[in-house]
Amino acid sequence: MRKTSDPDRRARRRWAVRAHATLLEQHGPQRWWPAEGRFEIMVGSVLAQNTAWRNVEKAVANLKAADMLHAEAIAQAEPEVLAQLIRPSGYFNVKARRLGSFCAWYARAGGYRKLRYWPTMRLRKALLGVHGVGPETADDILLYAFDRPVFVIDAYTRRIFARLGTIRGNEAYDELREVFEHQLARRSTVYAEFHALIVRHGNQVCRPTPRCEDCGLNAMCRFHRHQPV
DNA sequence: ACCCAGGGTCATA
DNA sequence: TATGACCATGGG
């Protein structure tokens, strides 16, 4: 029996590439992140922590209506005022403080015009040093606001690929990030599109109780194969 | 009425 | 390293 050619074998091992192609076929291009400017993306990624996007939109709209969508304005705002504006996004007291500390850092660093020249990993460390910015929020900002080739790991990523059987799901954040980054072409456009597809698939198809009948990944899914008929 | 949503921090073992 | 409590709104 003939041995599989090396390129085929490599492609089969790179399940992230196959999943990306399949999800792109099923859902189409996502064109993320849904926001108007870079700073709005950064604000959104803080407010989106463990929160439905619908609620984030309301909070961002409130900030915009109050003409507060600027780092200086947010950094100088009274915590209570800020909290009321972002109330729909939940955890409003916590997030008011997080948004404040992020904007204070951002303004002090000179904003995008200065930060754009920072090396990616230096920028990542600086972001992680801001109170309230953890690995996922930092990587959202790096990928979608700074166009850096950093892959974002979120709860959807863990759930989908744990079900597929390609990861356990409880790996350390940076370990998973590097697995995905190594499997894909190191380009921010690829990472951005793939993560967007993962989010789309995670909240429409691979939900807590999965809708396997609507899923294009069944052929490569261990979870689906083990489902009773 | 319950579960979940594009997490992170802090205390504890 | 690894759990658990806590934060809080709104939609299904």
Side-chain angles (χ1 to χ4, degrees):
Chain A
M1 99 193 213
R2 193 172 67 83
K3 283 181 69 175
T4 314
S5 68
D6 278 358
D8 279 355
R9 187 167 283 211
R10 208 174 311 126
R12 192 175 312 113
R13 199 179 306 122
R14 291 202 284 176
W15 39 264
V17 174
R18 287 208 297 153
H20 178 271
T22 306
L23 291 178
L24 184 57
E25 191 177 346
Q26 173 167 3
H27 299 292
Q30 300 300 300
R31 307 187 24 147
W32 254 31
W33 180 289
E36 285 188 8
R38 298 182 190 278
F39 184 68
E40 188 175 323
I41 293 173
M42 303 182 210
V43 170
S45 54
V46 171
L47 297 182
Q49 292 171 359
N50 202 37
T51 300
W53 182 250
R54 178 186 306 276
N55 293 344
V56 177
E57 288 180 316
K58 295 176 186 170
V60 171
N62 287 346
L63 290 172
K64 203 176 290 188
D67 196 26
M68 295 271 297
L69 214 48
H70 311 280
E72 297 79 5
I74 292 176
Q76 294 168 9
E78 295 295 329
E80 292 184 349
V81 174
L82 187 54
Q84 288 310 310
L85 288 170
I86 66 172
R87 182 169 186 155
S89 68
Y91 305 128
F92 51 83
N93 288 315
V94 169
K95 285 177 178 173
R97 193 155 48 91
R98 292 180 182 180
L99 210 48
S101 55
F102 170 77
C103 290
W105 167 81
Y106 187 73
R108 182 170 180 75
Y112 183 76
R113 308 215 42 127
K114 296 290 185 183
L115 291 170
R116 63 184 298 191
Y117 297 109
W118 288 33
T120 298
M121 286 304 138
R122 180 187 173 196
L123 188 52
R124 188 169 196 269
K125 287 204 171 186
L127 284 166
L128 290 175
V130 177
H131 179 88
V133 177
E136 184 183 338
T137 305
D139 291 345
D140 274 333
I141 292 172
L142 287 167
L143 178 58
Y144 291 103
F146 286 87
D147 302 307
R148 304 302 177 92
V150 173
F151 197 82
V152 177
I153 303 297
D154 65 349
Y156 291 141
T157 312
R158 293 179 186 273
R159 184 166 74 209
I160 292 170
F161 290 91
R163 281 176 176 163
L164 289 180
T166 59
I167 65 173
R168 291 194 316 276
N170 61 352
E171 292 90 341
Y173 182 95
D174 284 321
E175 180 184 345
L176 279 183
R177 177 174 61 80
E178 287 175 9
V179 167
F180 280 82
E181 288 180 358
H182 289 322
Q183 287 204 25
L184 299 158
R186 197 173 205 79
R187 296 175 50 212
S188 62
T189 51
V190 173
Y191 294 170
E193 182 63 25
F194 192 20
H195 175 66
L197 286 164
I198 286 170
V199 171
R200 173 83 179 268
H201 201 70
N203 64 36
Q204 291 193 357
V205 181
C206 200
R207 303 160 68 111
T209 59
R211 304 186 173 177
C212 298
E213 66 276 13
D214 298 327
C215 183
L217 298 171
N218 284 337
M220 55 193 294
C221 185
R222 183 176 166 196
F223 179 87
H224 177 254
R225 284 201 300 277
H226 289 182
Q227 287 307 295
V229 186

